[in-house]
Amino acid sequence: AKDLGWPLNARAIALMAACGYSAAQVYGNVFVGRTIDNETADVWQRVDFTVEDASPMAEWCKIARTTGGGGGSGTSKASSLS
């Protein structure tokens, strides 16, 4: 998207930074969703992702920043998410 001249996506960058990926640069549109994924019980289900969930202050962002929470270390790039 950067090569196509798309603008930086400030909202996506703020959300990723809140999850510990402060080195992220995101250009263009972003889709964010939530799922329940339990391989043991063979469950994969989409669930609601509310407007409140899109806030960098959301509880799940705080959890993502913790050790084992699934987020970044604060300096890492989100290369696995690209």
Side-chain angles (χ1 to χ4, degrees):
K2 180 181 179 181
D3 293 340
L4 296 174
W6 292 23
L8 278 169
N9 186 323
R11 288 180 65 196
I13 293 169
L15 192 57
M16 291 182 72
C19 294
Y21 293 104
S22 60
Q25 294 294 303
V26 181
Y27 295 85
N29 297 328
V30 171
F31 172 83
V32 180
R34 173 179 286 159
T35 63
I36 296 171
D37 187 1
N38 182 330
E39 292 182 17
T40 303
D42 195 25
V43 174
W44 190 92
Q45 177 184 1
R46 285 191 180 119
V47 294
D48 288 341
F49 189 87
T50 66
V51 172
E52 292 80 16
D53 291 331
S55 167
M57 301 303 293
E59 187 63 27
W60 72 271
C61 291
K62 295 174 189 172
I63 293 168
R65 285 192 307 267
T66 64
T67 302
S73 64
T75 58
S76 62
K77 289 186 176 183
S79 58
S80 64
L81 302 176
S82 60

